Amino acid sequence: MSRLKNFNLFNESNGIENDSRLSSDIVNLLNTQIKSELESSQLYKSMACWLDDNGWTGASKYFFKSGQEELVHMDKIYMYLFERNCVAIVPPCDKVQDKFKDIRDVLELSLEHEIKVTKEWENISNVAKNNGDNTTVEFAQWFLKEQVEEEQKFRDLIFKLNLDIPKWKLDDIFNTL
């Protein structure tokens, strides 16, 4: 199971260095989350393309940057699995939505997506708690804090849109995020 299983310089080890430090349930959830973060990246980059094509240049830059941040999150999970001596899996990426009605559609879909990701991290945290896996609970807490910020950001943008803020002003707000 471990990336170290075939590495033993002197064949004197009791094999403890080969043991995964996480339960198989947690490893499976984290590998599933790698795919979720990859799909988040692709969704946000898809939104960035649509926004750019429709004149939302500030929003496009923001969503492209967000797509890059999702890849950083994905890499953070890989590194955690490596550090805990677990096998990480490189997942395929399913096709993501690439057509949107308008900026409201993009923002509402983004909020829905962030809520879904929050639920995924809450599940990881809960399974880790039930397994007495405090390191993964702490790891998940970092992501959950990020999720609170992301959800609030999209709620605020939708609120501003509901105030009938001029489109140019809304697009300009993305440059400050």
Side-chain angles (χ1 to χ4, degrees):
M1 174 153 198
S2 155
R3 68 184 190 279
L4 298 175
K5 75 178 181 181
N6 294 321
F7 183 73
N8 187 343
L9 291 176
F10 303 106
N11 291 326
E12 297 174 10
S13 172
N14 65 8
I16 195 168
E17 75 278 6
N18 295 330
D19 293 343
S20 171
R21 298 290 293 130
L22 301 175
S23 73
S24 60
D25 289 343
I26 293 294
V27 172
N28 290 337
L29 285 170
L30 290 174
N31 274 308
T32 299
Q33 195 61 33
I34 287 171
K35 182 174 182 170
S36 181
E37 300 293 335
L38 176 62
E39 289 174 352
S40 295
S41 173
Q42 294 303 98
L43 176 63
Y44 287 149
K45 287 181 180 181
S46 174
M47 289 174 171
C49 292
W50 183 89
L51 288 160
D52 187 73
D53 288 346
N54 286 277
W56 292 90
T57 57
S60 175
K61 289 175 189 169
Y62 169 78
F63 276 91
F64 188 82
K65 182 178 81 170
S66 294
Q68 293 299 106
E69 288 172 3
E70 298 299 335
L71 294 177
V72 170
H73 294 168
M74 182 183 74
D75 288 345
K76 188 174 180 86
I77 301 167
Y78 275 118
M79 294 310 299
Y80 181 71
L81 287 169
F82 297 162
E83 290 165 358
R84 302 302 290 160
N85 206 37
C86 301
V87 174
I89 298 170
V90 177
C93 185
D94 298 334
K95 180 162 175 31
V96 296
Q97 181 175 341
D98 60 358
K99 303 281 189 257
F100 308 94
K101 290 184 275 184
D102 52 25
I103 189 70
R104 177 178 299 282
D105 189 32
V106 169
L107 294 176
E108 288 176 351
L109 179 60
S110 297
L111 177 57
E112 288 172 17
H113 182 75
E114 291 298 336
I115 290 169
K116 176 182 98 46
V117 172
T118 299
K119 289 177 183 175
E120 292 167 353
W121 279 109
E122 286 171 343
N123 183 51
I124 291 167
S125 180
N126 288 332
V127 170
K129 282 178 197 169
N130 291 338
N131 286 335
D133 181 353
N134 294 321
T135 57
T136 302
V137 170
E138 183 179 339
F139 182 68
Q141 295 307 308
W142 183 88
F143 283 95
L144 287 168
K145 183 179 180 222
E146 289 282 308
Q147 287 307 120
V148 168
E149 294 170 6
E150 291 303 312
E151 285 184 29
Q152 189 58 45
K153 191 181 310 176
F154 287 118
R155 279 190 188 92
D156 288 347
L157 289 164
I158 292 168
F159 177 76
K160 289 175 178 152
L161 187 61
N162 289 340
L163 291 175
D164 289 330
I165 190 170
K167 290 181 180 180
W168 67 267
K169 183 67 175 166
L170 181 63
D171 193 50
D172 198 42
I173 289 171
F174 282 99
N175 291 319
T176 65
L177 300 176

